[in-house]
Amino acid sequence: MTAERLRPGADEGSAGPLLAYGESRLYYVWSGPRDAAVMPLGLIDKIVAPATVASGAGDDQVSGSAAVTVTLAEPGRFAFLDPDARCVDVRCNGETVPVHRNGALCMADCDDTRVDIRWKA
């Protein structure tokens, strides 16, 4: 699995990157502040991961903030994008949890529905 950040104006004038026959891609639309270092995806083991983010992830984020709090619909393997490798801490239920990184894709096993992510400003 790879992640890429599409910026406003990227691939302007087309419907997006071209796909080969049988290839598919899933795109997330981020409504949070543009200067946020991370983008919450949701529970990665669910078919529609964004639907597992009950609240947060930009709902009340302030531009210039170095943290985000996400409330999940249920505990599980939470994923987020960190394309610039700025994440410094992920907490579930107030406890720091290990983050497994695969390029920009980060995953953390959370046994609670509250996830706090902090990054370097």
Side-chain angles (χ1 to χ4, degrees), residues 66-82:
V68 65
T69 298
V70 177
T71 303
L72 302 171
E74 61 187 70
R77 178 163 283 183
F78 173 69
F80 61 95
L81 294 179
D82 180 17

Side-chain angles (χ1 to χ4, degrees), residues 6-102:
L6 299 178
R7 305 224 182 258
D11 296 321
E12 206 165 27
S14 70
L18 296 176
L19 301 178
Y21 180 78
E23 183 182 14
S24 62
R25 292 187 183 177
L26 176 62
Y27 292 92
Y28 290 81
V29 177
W30 172 247
S31 61
R34 286 191 178 162
D35 60 350
V38 301
M39 183 185 126
L41 299 177
L43 297 177
I44 200 71
D45 55 352
K46 302 294 181 181
I47 292 175
V48 185
T52 63
V53 176
S55 67
D59 294 345
D60 58 356
Q61 278 307 107
V62 177
S63 184
S65 176
V68 65
T69 298
V70 177
T71 303
L72 302 171
E74 61 187 70
R77 178 163 283 183
F78 173 69
F80 61 95
L81 294 179
D82 180 17
D84 301 321
R86 292 171 51 193
C87 177
V88 294
D89 188 40
V90 175
R91 294 175 180 259
C92 296
N93 196 25
E95 300 289 325
T96 298
V97 294
V99 175
H100 309 282
R101 178 180 285 279
N102 183 4

